[in-house]
Amino acid sequence: MKAVNPLNAYYNTVPAHMSIYSDSIISAQSYQRPVNPNHVRDIVSGFDAHLFAEPLVSFRGGKYYLMDGQNRISALVWMNHGNPVSVKCTVFTGLTEADEANLFAKQDKLNRKLTPFEYINASSNGNDKDSDTTKKFLAACAECGVTIKKQKSSEAGSFMAANTLLNAYKKYGDTAFKRVVPLILDTWQGNWDSKSISFINAMFAFDKRYSGKYSRRRFISASKKLSPAQLLYTAKAMVGSTSECVCAQLANAYNHGIPDAAKI
């Protein structure tokens, strides 16, 4: 049985293999990650023409748009003393910019796996089902005052745990996301440990377990003086998963000093 290129089937287009001068290829699309100088140096130092993967290019509107291969092309230009160089590329036709973004967002199946930040950026420029979810996720983040950062930031609403937040959005839904994330921010005022992967997961587990049973106001009052770092540390000495143990501590704090009828 003849093998079928999955790219051909997905995009209904047969790619061509052709040489294009690097200065004729337009890169730095909104969905792409930036050139990584360290990666470029690694390619140069270990260059082997037999192992060089062809950059993926889209011919659209009479121009060549680079979808994947910025670092490889940059390495070739560097080795040519900064001058334009002819690059053998895999060229697709008939793709829209959104199609290109969809393809780039699936790089984990084709090349180096994207970081969560890179995936979200690429997916948000696409037009498939995953892209639609990503766009709704980013809209929810904006509504909650959340920004996704690559590096640690002092901003209260900044999170580095991009994949954790996206997975929580997919698992628990838009309404729960917009309930839990603001609760984290309002209770701990941007404390960095409250925005860690383990603590975010614990908070969504708490909300799922006690949804409709707890008072937001009471939760904040009872929990704001608790240290997220200490809650996570104490959880290590308890029996059960980290999320279960953090939930138990939060529930104990919530129930302290209130009538049995109001306890969760």
Side-chain angles (χ1 to χ4, degrees), residues 8 12 51 57 67 69 73 93 135 137-138 152 157 176 181 199 201 209 213-214 221 229 250:
N8 300 354
N12 194 32
L51 301 177
V57 173
M67 294 187 290
I73 291 179
T93 58
K135 291 171 185 176
F137 162 71
L138 290 176
K152 189 173 181 178
V181 173
F199 202 79
N201 286 332
R209 177 175 297 181
K213 301 177 182 178
Y214 73 93
S221 175
L250 291 171

Side-chain angles (χ1 to χ4, degrees), residues 29-220:
Q29 303 304 302
S30 60
Y31 53 80
Q32 290 179 320
R33 53 193 167 210
V35 172
N36 184 329
N38 292 328
H39 191 195
V40 172
R41 282 192 287 270
D42 289 342
I43 294 173
V44 172
S45 64
F47 184 78
D48 185 335
H50 296 94
L51 301 177
F52 189 81
E54 294 183 6
L56 301 181
V57 173
S58 172
F59 184 68
R60 171 168 50 85
K63 298 179 180 180
Y64 294 102
Y65 292 93
L66 182 65
M67 294 187 290
D68 179 62
Q70 286 195 102
N71 292 315
R72 279 165 278 163
I73 291 179
S74 295
L76 292 176
V77 171
W78 186 359
M79 290 188 291
N80 199 37
H81 309 291
N83 298 312
V85 61
S86 179
V87 184
K88 189 174 182 181
C89 301
T90 298
V91 183
F92 291 85
T93 58
L95 305 186
T96 65
E97 185 174 3
D99 288 333
E100 296 163 10
N102 292 339
L103 174 59
F104 185 79
K106 294 175 173 61
Q107 281 301 294
D108 58 325
K109 298 178 182 177
L110 304 172
N111 201 342
R112 179 175 74 81
K113 186 174 182 178
L114 300 179
T115 66
F117 187 91
E118 291 168 342
Y119 170 79
I120 289 171
N121 179 59
S123 181
S124 66
N125 284 275
N127 63 351
D128 61 7
K129 185 177 180 180
D130 287 342
S131 295
D132 185 55
T133 299
T134 302
K135 291 171 185 176
K136 290 178 180 177
F137 162 71
L138 290 176
C141 285
E143 186 174 330
C144 295
V146 168
T147 55
I148 306 298
K149 299 284 188 180
K150 290 182 179 180
Q151 299 178 334
K152 189 173 181 178
S153 170
S154 60
E155 297 175 13
S158 67
F159 284 75
M160 284 182 64
N163 200 44
T164 301
L165 287 177
L166 179 57
N167 287 338
Y169 182 85
K170 291 178 179 179
K171 181 177 181 179
Y172 298 103
D174 188 81
T175 301
F177 185 89
K178 292 176 182 177
R179 181 171 58 244
V180 175
V181 173
L183 183 61
I184 294 173
L185 294 176
D186 291 344
T187 303
W188 289 285
Q189 300 296 310
N191 174 283
W192 194 252
D193 292 304
S194 73
K195 298 182 288 186
S196 66
I197 293 173
S198 296
F199 202 79
I200 292 170
N201 286 332
M203 282 296 296
F204 274 97
F206 177 91
D207 181 77
K208 181 180 180 181
R209 177 175 297 181
Y210 299 111
S211 179
K213 301 177 182 178
Y214 73 93
S215 158
R216 187 178 193 278
R217 182 176 180 180
R218 169 62 188 169
F219 180 91
I220 294 174

